[in-house]
Amino acid sequence: MDIKEIEQASPGLFLALAGHDAQKALFKRYVNSIVIELADYCNRVCDYCPVSLIDRRSAVNRMDTDHFAKILEDLGDIDYDRDICLNLFNEPLADDGIYDSVRALKKAAPNASVWFSSNGDYVKKSTLDQLADAGLWRLVVTLHTEPGQDYDDLERLSRYSQFSARTGINLTFKKYKPGQKIVATGAYKGIKLSVKAANFADNGENRGGLMTDIPVDHLRTEPCDRPFDDLTISWNGNVYPCCMFFADSKEHDDFIVGNVGDADSLFALYTSQLMASFRKDLFSHGPKMSPCDTCTEYCTDEGPEHERARAARLGQVPAAD
């Protein structure tokens, strides 16, 4: 698709947009997912994650309460009713404040779907009870391999058994790709559960070029809808074009869109010049600028259904024959 083939997508997506009302309207129309990293701590150091490069275990840094309050205010202002994800490169359940944060988000945006990913180490029945009471919609548990350990299907399946025994949840296996991925689903008191194991060493993301051991077999030419659909906020209030950027890495400093504490609103950050430049680059097929040129997300296994869904969200129509 070429930008000139847009029928309904707003031109405001591709330029820095001024005016609070216009910014708010564009944000409300297009943002389907808000990613909020409430704290930086992670109890694991996976080989395929930037946490293996930069210390996130010796201290706990939490999002400034004023930053979080500002996020709540803006979401309430537009009655935000789509996804809110509460993790980036951290373990949300390592912080007992996660329950109050979920409650606060559900109070500010009662129609939003609040969820997050976890490594599962802290998940037990009492954890799930508190999350259900707080209003969590979905929990994705990733059963990671240990540092220095190769992915093995049978070993991962034993972890599934341990998880079920610990939580009492019966899981239904939905996907199995030998040597690559296992996915199971379940439910608990209204929380949708997805439990997965994956060979991230072979098929993970290089996280904006930070993970140099993750294989990249071609330079990206596919479009990406992340900077259209998402707003990503790190623990320190910095906003990035997508969830692949790591707040603690100096290599990604040039890609900071702005900070929640300095900006007039979340809407102003979404409609900034840097976000517009990423959308221009990632909207159509063709070579991408760094670091998106080596990103493989949605490149190989999503297929035409993902492309059609993306086109529908952006109001694209196919070029005339």
Side-chain angles (χ1 to χ4, degrees):
M1 300 288 178
D2 205 6
I3 291 177
K4 66 183 180 181
E5 296 166 11
I6 305 170
E7 180 178 73
Q8 299 174 4
S10 170
L13 289 166
F14 306 104
L15 50 85
L17 191 63
H20 180 76
D21 289 344
Q23 293 169 348
K24 183 165 69 171
L26 197 75
F27 184 102
K28 184 172 177 61
R29 178 178 175 184
Y30 287 102
V31 174
N32 289 306
S33 176
I34 298 171
V35 182
I36 309 169
E37 186 179 50
L38 294 170
D40 68 339
Y41 178 83
C42 187
N43 63 308
R44 284 182 170 257
V45 185
C46 298
D47 297 334
Y48 38 79
C49 176
V51 175
S52 65
L53 306 175
I54 297 174
D55 177 29
R56 278 195 165 195
R57 298 183 75 186
S58 61
V60 180
N61 295 297
R62 295 179 175 84
M63 177 172 282
D64 186 279
T65 55
D66 289 341
H67 290 173
F68 190 52
K70 192 170 186 178
I71 293 169
L72 295 175
E73 181 180 359
D74 283 350
L75 297 185
D77 189 30
I78 60 169
D79 189 22
Y80 182 77
D81 59 359
R82 299 173 190 175
D83 285 4
I84 300 174
C85 174
L86 299 182
N87 73 277
L88 272 170
F89 301 95
N90 63 324
E91 172 47 53
L93 288 173
D95 186 358
D96 287 340
I98 186 67
Y99 309 109
D100 287 339
S101 296
V102 173
R103 286 191 185 89
L105 285 161
K106 289 298 294 181
K107 182 178 180 180
N111 297 311
S113 300
V114 183
W115 72 282
F116 60 82
S117 292
S118 166
N119 58 39
D121 292 350
Y122 297 85
V123 178
K124 49 190 177 180
K125 271 195 172 183
S126 60
T127 307
L128 294 169
D129 286 336
Q130 292 181 80
L131 291 172
D133 182 69
L136 193 75
W137 165 64
R138 184 178 181 226
L139 177 64
V140 177
V141 176
T142 303
L143 303 177
H144 293 281
T145 55
E146 301 299 326
Q149 184 182 69
D150 293 332
Y151 175 90
D152 179 82
D153 286 336
L154 291 178
E155 192 277 332
R156 291 298 89 194
L157 286 171
S158 70
R159 290 285 309 280
Y160 276 93
S161 298
Q162 293 167 16
F163 180 86
S164 291
R166 186 169 74 247
T167 61
I169 296 173
N170 293 321
L171 297 172
T172 301
F173 287 94
K174 296 292 187 180
K175 182 183 292 187
Y176 174 48
K177 297 175 70 174
Q180 300 299 321
K181 181 184 290 186
I182 306 171
V183 179
T185 60
Y188 186 87
K189 291 187 176 181
I191 300 175
K192 295 182 178 181
L193 283 167
S194 178
V195 183
K196 62 182 182 179
N199 187 350
F200 291 112
D202 289 345
N203 299 293
E205 298 294 341
N206 69 10
R207 304 299 181 181
L210 294 180
M211 309 311 297
T212 56
D213 290 340
I214 300 293
V216 176
D217 59 5
H218 75 288
L219 293 180
R220 186 187 188 100
T221 59
E222 292 88 345
C224 178
D225 54 16
R226 289 292 195 188
F228 294 86
D229 277 5
D230 299 2
L231 188 76
T232 300
I233 309 168
S234 65
W235 68 268
N236 57 10
N238 285 341
V239 170
Y240 291 89
C242 81
C243 60
M244 293 295 161
F245 295 95
F246 189 53
D248 301 343
S249 171
K250 292 187 180 298
E251 289 90 335
H252 288 170
D253 282 353
D254 289 342
F255 305 108
I256 298 172
V257 174
N259 189 277
V260 171
D262 300 327
D264 290 337
S265 65
L266 300 183
F267 320 129
L269 291 163
Y270 177 74
T271 57
S272 67
Q273 181 59 57
L274 184 58
M275 289 290 283
S277 69
F278 270 83
R279 288 192 280 262
K280 283 182 181 179
D281 183 59
L282 293 169
F283 181 78
S284 57
H285 290 272
K288 306 305 174 197
M289 63 184 180
S290 179
C292 301
D293 57 342
T294 60
C295 181
T296 57
E297 188 175 49
Y298 296 150
C299 277
T300 56
D301 62 357
E302 297 294 338
E305 289 186 4
H306 177 77
E307 178 69 14
R308 285 195 294 270
R310 169 187 171 276
R313 283 196 297 274
L314 297 181
Q316 286 181 328
V317 292
D321 293 335

